[in-house]
Amino acid sequence: MHYMKRNKILKYILASTLTLAADSTFVGCTDNFEELNTNKYEVNPDEMPFAAQFIEPLTYVYAPQQNMFQFWTNLSIDLFGGYFMTPHNFSGNGNADYNLNRGFCGGMYENFHLHLFNNSRRLIQACEEKGLPDYAAVMRVVQAYALSTMTDAYGPVAYRSVLEGNTVSFAYDTQESIYNDLFTLLDEAINGFQNGSSSAEDMQAFDYWCQGNKELWIRVANQFKLRFAMRIVKANPMLAKQKAEEAVQGGILTSADKDIVIDHGLSNELTRMFEWGDCGINANLVTIMEGYKDPRLPLYITMNTNEVTCADGSTISRGTRYLGIRGGCNLPNKPSQFGNFSGVVCSYSTPFPVLKVAEAYFLRAEGALRGWDMGGNVKDLYEEGIRISIKNELKYKGVFAGVSAISDEEIDTYVNGTTTQNDFVDPINAENSIKAMNKVSVKWDEAASNEEKLQRIITQKWIANFPLSTEAWAEYRRTGYPKLFPNRVNSSNGTIDTDEQIRRLIYSSIEINTNNAEMQKGIELLNKENSSTKFSGDIGGTRVWWDKVNVGNF
């Protein structure tokens, strides 16, 4: 029964997977995406050991397969959150200049349906039938996290209709209703962890996030609840406050916890994106962290990976400068000198990041700034978030960066720093250079406006959450912080505002070819939730429900 229903939905998802390749008229490592990502031999998951069935959804929140990783976010969302930028633009077929490639924008959809939702929903039902509420709870948290990234990227998506699985077409849900479902999933998960009787030893067979620690799982679930509550603060401020305070009261990650990372010998494919020459470091990250004299900078990125010849004929020797790439600059095809700019501190064995402890403190700091009961004051939570981030990043990345220590004195100096973002100077093309956008320093200023305080909080949260671009881009759209350099070249044909920047991904080609009638209804739902007066429809300038153009941060 489960297998037949699973096949029905998989056929819907896989029916036109080759459309991604058809949409992408380029040559290179992105060729034959679906051939590389789908199994030619259909396997009944029920024939696998039960515990083994959990590993795929638990790990594909940070896709451990090279082509899926690239299509999941590296060709789209990674370019929009301020952390990364491609050193070329796939012969004009990439997303960097806002001429959105529907195939490239479909990777989030692919990963969600093939590897995450397809497994999580099936396992939740199986666990309930087996009387394993805590096992089901694990999948509910994974499903909530995955679904949040999906709806944050596109807006309305098919969710409840896929759960029902009784039709060949799948109706879309509004983003508002999906967020209500996210809170329900997390509440059900917390209840499952509290009432389940499985041992930690049994759960450790598959639990790549929390190693069978159900109390830790509850804190993870509550932290996601706090994140989702903050996301909807402009759309439904009363519900946001209620859910945020529930989350903090229920217990979220603290300094006593470690960051949630997946450390099980899987391949961290961010490394390969740089080796392929398809990914570079964004100028926003370099100029903000350098301007702040951030001690995490060598933990995150390398200096230039090769010699760079400047426009004036001078050279920058290898390994002597941090160099980032500004987005939307009509970059030349690879190989080019932009591929010699800074690299990422990452190896194939670097654990996958899932959820950072420091984020909890910045979320609480924002909540306290709004007058919510967050169990602390704004300044203390903000500063503690910074300190925890630096210490945890050293533990996480120190061995890969060759950094053995960051002293408390160095951390204090950073927390009390008064410098601001550097201007961006492109050594190759002066047309790409631009003045700094952010004028706030790290040091807390109690006399500052709430808006300036929020900018400090979000900017530090943005630094701490590296390299999680899905969260960085979502929070930029919600708050406008940190201020990101606008595109110099906007090839969207009027569908994206240069200053407002891209607000959503366009729907996948698979939806057009296999679920078009329902997708058109979904676009109607998108338009109803859209607050933009300039844009509507399935374009990059349309706003999702929680992204309110006419509502300030306070």
Side-chain angles (χ1 to χ4, degrees), residues 77 97-98 219 275 292 396 479 554:
I77 294 173
D97 295 343
Y98 288 168
R219 293 194 290 278
E275 289 183 353
Y292 284 166
Y396 173 39
T479 67
F554 295 96

Side-chain angles (χ1 to χ4, degrees), residues 285-529:
L285 187 70
V286 174
T287 54
I288 289 174
M289 294 188 76
E290 269 205 312
Y292 284 166
K293 299 178 174 57
D294 197 312
R296 290 165 290 191
L297 187 59
L299 297 172
Y300 286 7
I301 66 177
T302 71
M303 293 188 181
N304 56 305
T305 58
N306 222 322
E307 184 179 276
V308 174
T309 302
C310 303
D312 62 4
S314 63
T315 60
I316 301 172
S317 299
R318 178 179 180 175
T320 57
R321 291 263 304 277
Y322 289 109
L323 297 176
I325 304 166
R326 181 183 174 187
C329 290
N330 191 26
L331 298 181
N333 293 336
K334 67 175 181 180
S336 77
Q337 290 205 90
F338 291 101
N340 297 337
F341 282 23
S342 288
V344 68
V345 174
C346 187
S347 77
Y348 289 111
S349 62
T350 301
F352 303 173
V354 177
L355 191 64
K356 307 277 189 87
V357 174
E359 183 192 4
Y361 286 84
F362 295 120
L363 287 166
R364 290 169 63 197
E366 181 180 347
L369 186 63
R370 296 182 180 280
W372 303 349
D373 184 2
M374 296 285 105
N377 68 68
V378 184
K379 178 178 182 291
D380 289 349
L381 291 167
Y382 167 79
E383 292 183 349
E384 185 66 8
I386 296 172
R387 295 179 190 280
I388 289 170
S389 174
I390 295 172
K391 292 177 180 179
N392 283 1
E393 291 300 329
L394 178 64
K395 294 174 186 175
Y396 173 39
K397 286 286 195 70
V399 65
F400 302 100
V403 178
S404 59
I406 299 174
S407 68
D408 289 340
E409 290 74 19
E410 289 177 280
I411 297 175
D412 287 341
T413 298
Y414 178 75
V415 169
N416 292 293
T418 57
T419 56
T420 59
Q421 180 185 18
N422 287 346
D423 295 338
F424 173 61
V425 179
D426 189 320
I428 295 176
N429 185 350
E431 283 188 297
N432 300 336
S433 300
I434 188 171
K435 292 289 185 183
M437 306 284 291
N438 298 277
K439 303 301 182 183
V440 298
S441 64
V442 178
K443 186 177 182 179
W444 189 253
D445 180 1
E446 197 59 51
S449 66
N450 279 356
E451 193 68 38
E452 186 176 314
K453 289 175 180 176
L454 180 66
Q455 185 176 2
R456 281 189 169 87
I457 293 168
I458 300 300
T459 299
Q460 289 301 318
K461 182 169 71 170
W462 176 80
I463 295 172
N465 268 336
F466 178 84
L468 299 172
S469 293
T470 53
E471 190 59 19
W473 184 42
E475 286 295 85
Y476 170 74
R477 289 178 285 159
R478 178 178 73 88
T479 67
Y481 300 126
K483 296 178 181 179
L484 301 177
F485 297 132
N487 274 29
R488 182 175 68 78
V489 175
N490 183 339
S491 301
S492 70
N493 196 27
T495 61
I496 298 171
D497 184 277
T498 300
D499 293 327
E500 291 183 7
Q501 303 190 26
I502 184 171
R503 312 309 293 189
R504 62 179 292 275
L505 298 184
I506 55 177
Y507 287 122
S508 168
S509 301
I510 294 176
E511 285 294 274
I512 293 175
N513 289 305
T514 64
N515 198 38
N516 189 50
E518 294 299 340
M519 189 193 78
Q520 296 304 321
K521 296 175 186 176
I523 293 171
E524 293 176 12
L525 297 178
L526 172 68
N527 288 335
K528 288 178 181 178
E529 293 188 321

Side-chain angles (χ1 to χ4, degrees), residues 152 179 227-233 471 474-475 478 546:
D152 286 352
Y179 261 81
R227 176 192 285 183
F228 301 158
M230 203 62 75
R231 188 86 84 242
I232 68 169
V233 71
E471 190 59 19
E475 286 295 85
R478 178 178 73 88
W546 50 254

Side-chain angles (χ1 to χ4, degrees), residues 154-184:
Y154 300 107
V157 292
Y159 175 62
R160 293 180 185 176
S161 60
V162 180
L163 283 176
E164 294 165 0
N166 295 320
T167 178
V168 294
S169 63
F170 296 86
Y172 279 44
D173 300 290
T174 65
Q175 186 175 76
E176 181 176 13
S177 69
I178 290 171
Y179 261 81
N180 289 332
D181 287 339
L182 292 177
F183 292 125
T184 298

Side-chain angles (χ1 to χ4, degrees), residues 271-285:
T271 301
R272 201 179 312 271
M273 301 305 103
F274 281 81
E275 289 183 353
W276 279 348
D278 290 341
C279 192
I281 299 297
N282 198 299
N284 289 286
L285 187 70

